Amino acid sequence: MSPAAAPAAPAVLCTPACVTPSAPEVPPAELGRRYAALAYEIGIGVAQGERLAEPRALRARARGIVGALGVRLEAGPERLTVTGSRPGTLIVANHISWLDVVSLLAVEPVTVLAKREVGRWPVIGSLARRAGSQFIDRDGLRQLPHVVDELSSTLRSGHSVLVFPQATTWCSVAGGRFRRATFQAAADAGAPVRPVTIRYYQHGVRSTTAAFLGDETFGASLHRVARARGLTVRVTPHAPLRGTDRRELAAEAQAAVGAHEMPAHV
């Protein structure tokens, strides 16, 4: 049996107890500076209004927010979208934190398919809507066919879309199986699927500090990230996938994202 076809081990739900900060926190003065820088970046985004959805503006704000929080972004030169493809690319990634979205937009601005709750978050929800994000009710099964049709249409139009097929956040790359519905949209549109792995480190050691889990509030998670010293987010794109079977695409994408787990010290 190939790795892509192997049955997944039962997943254990992640909670805030899984978060184990692995480095000393920044001093109060640095924390204040980071919050001031973050407020400045958000203020620019608010002032840009609908122009925030323009790729250059969106990437600049995303990079600004990552930098304001003191997070180092590691990403190679490879694009997330598949060049030379008329349909857009379905970009699928593991989901650890709200910071995943900002980090990926800092690499390459695309349309984001997010859970509906994000649209209700103070300030962030407004910015997400202005940036062109699309929202989905993860528990609304009756809406899924409509969402798949809309996603397929978006891909056919040449726009790339970022989705998190685990549907919720997990403290590790291996947590949570990839749900298959959004892969049907890629199959229908004849669009390539680009698997992407997101990992977080502090001073070269794998870290769960950025994880956003359970019933934790966004504010609590943001404060932990802002206090973190030496936090790095690493974005690793993998070879694109093509196919017409959503089950096979989901399994192959999850295998690619979870493959070659790096050792704790890098």
Side-chain angles (χ1 to χ4, degrees):
M1 182 177 291
S2 67
V12 177
L13 291 177
C14 296
T15 71
C18 297
V19 178
T20 54
S22 55
E25 297 174 353
V26 298
E30 173 61 15
L31 179 60
R33 188 201 67 77
R34 290 183 179 185
Y35 273 130
L38 178 63
Y40 174 78
E41 291 295 337
I42 290 175
I44 294 178
V46 171
Q48 286 179 312
E50 301 302 321
R51 289 181 294 128
L52 182 61
E54 297 174 2
R56 182 177 296 180
L58 184 55
R59 188 183 190 203
R61 293 288 68 73
R63 284 181 171 257
I65 289 172
V66 170
L69 291 171
V71 178
R72 179 185 178 189
L73 174 64
E74 289 187 359
E78 187 174 10
R79 290 171 56 91
L80 302 181
T81 56
V82 178
T83 56
S85 172
R86 175 61 185 93
T89 302
L90 182 69
I91 301 163
V92 297
N94 61 297
H95 203 10
I96 297 174
S97 170
W98 52 269
L99 190 55
D100 302 343
V101 179
V102 185
S103 301
L104 288 170
L105 291 179
V107 174
E108 184 176 348
V110 294
T111 299
V112 178
L113 185 65
K115 61 182 181 180
R116 193 173 302 280
E117 290 84 349
V118 173
R120 303 190 187 107
W121 287 354
V123 183
I124 297 297
S126 176
L127 290 176
R129 290 191 296 272
R130 292 179 182 181
S133 298
Q134 299 179 4
F135 301 100
I136 179 176
D137 182 356
R138 296 289 190 184
D139 299 319
L141 295 179
R142 286 183 294 181
Q143 295 183 9
L144 272 180
H146 176 66
V147 170
V148 170
D149 287 345
E150 280 196 344
L151 182 53
S152 180
S153 178
T154 300
L155 292 169
R156 285 194 187 96
S157 71
H159 291 88
S160 296
V161 183
L162 166 65
V163 302
F164 297 99
Q166 290 169 307
T168 189
T169 49
W170 294 79
C171 53
S172 68
V173 174
R177 71 175 180 84
F178 279 17
R179 298 187 181 183
R180 303 164 180 166
T182 52
F183 292 92
Q184 185 63 52
D188 292 344
V193 176
R194 170 80 78 183
V196 177
T197 301
I198 301 171
R199 294 187 179 95
Y200 291 90
Y201 299 87
Q202 281 185 281
H203 302 294
V205 178
R206 190 77 60 78
S207 173
T208 55
T209 294
F212 181 38
L213 305 168
D215 56 359
E216 183 178 37
T217 66
F218 172 73
S221 178
L222 171 63
H223 192 56
R224 188 172 58 250
V225 169
R227 290 179 300 177
R229 186 194 298 268
L231 186 61
T232 295
V233 55
R234 182 176 298 169
V235 176
T236 307
H238 305 286
L241 308 172
R242 294 182 183 271
T244 57
D245 188 310
R246 65 179 183 176
R247 293 173 179 82
E248 291 181 0
L249 284 172
E252 290 173 8
Q254 183 159 12
V257 168
H260 311 302
E261 274 287 83
M262 302 287 286
H265 296 268
V266 294

